[in-house]
């Protein structure tokens, strides 16, 4: 069974954003599968770093849309992004220090992605559509 199945409920209806979210879910599942298969520390580290890089780029893409479309909740949304970046960086630091963080990373990713997409990201959809996106 897939650790975190992609469902229609996770779609915000904006193709660019949905594609990025789907990739994040797929990579979360790849991390899960790698851990289940006994991946090396180096492999886990590479997956975590790849996720972090992609998350940063995804956040930049969203934040650029906020600026372009004058999203009124941009500052609060960006604060959520900053918090998550800090949590993932902490996991990376712990991994680099030799700690096994795979299970923590999976739970953080799953909980955060579901909450963030279903609650925080869906909040901007109406604004984006009202300004011609979607």
């Amino acid at each position: 069974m897939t650790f975190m199945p992609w469902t229609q409920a996770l779609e915000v209806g904006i193709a660019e954003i949905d594609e990025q979210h789907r990739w994040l879910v797929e990579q979360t599942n790849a991390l899960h599968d790698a851990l289940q298969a006994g991946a090396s520390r180096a492999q886990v580290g590479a997956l975590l770093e790849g996720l972090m890089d992609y998350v940063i780029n995804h956040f930049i893409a969203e934040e650029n849309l906020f600026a372009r479309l004058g999203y009124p909740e941009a500052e609060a949304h960006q604060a959520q992004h900053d918090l998550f970046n800090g949590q993932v960086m902490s996991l990376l630091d712990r991994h680099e220090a030799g700690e096994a963080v795979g299970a923590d990373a999976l739970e953080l990713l799953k909980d955060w992605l579901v909450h963030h997409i279903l609650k925080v990201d869906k909040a901007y959809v109406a604004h984006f559509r009202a300004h011609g996106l979607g």
Side-chain angles (χ1 to χ4, degrees), residues 1-130:
M1 183 157 109
T2 303
F3 174 73
M4 183 178 179
W6 178 263
T7 67
Q8 192 171 12
L10 293 172
E11 293 178 4
V12 297
I14 298 167
E16 173 186 356
I17 301 298
D18 285 337
E19 182 180 313
Q20 293 171 8
H21 287 163
R22 184 183 295 263
W23 190 93
L24 290 166
V25 168
E26 288 170 359
Q27 292 309 300
T28 298
N29 287 323
L31 176 61
H32 175 267
D33 294 347
L35 290 167
Q36 292 297 308
S40 70
R41 287 189 48 73
Q43 290 169 316
V44 171
L47 285 166
L48 289 172
E49 288 175 13
L51 276 161
M52 184 65 196
D53 288 345
Y54 196 86
V55 164
I56 289 170
N57 288 322
H58 168 64
F59 289 167
I60 290 168
E62 276 190 352
E63 291 165 11
N64 285 338
L65 289 171
F66 297 163
R68 190 175 93 211
L69 302 175
Y71 182 53
E73 299 298 320
E75 190 174 320
H77 196 118
Q78 186 169 344
Q80 291 282 321
H81 289 172
D82 293 344
L83 175 66
F84 184 70
N85 281 341
Q87 291 172 316
V88 175
M89 285 304 299
S90 174
L91 284 170
L92 282 169
D93 290 344
R94 288 170 47 203
H95 176 79
E96 292 292 318
E99 192 176 333
V101 298
D104 292 348
L106 287 173
E107 287 308 312
L108 171 66
L109 288 162
K110 185 175 184 178
D111 292 347
W112 192 86
L113 280 168
V114 169
H115 168 76
H116 191 77
I117 292 170
L118 292 178
K119 303 267 193 257
V120 182
D121 283 351
K122 287 202 176 192
Y124 63 59
V125 172
H127 182 84
F128 280 19
R129 287 195 174 134

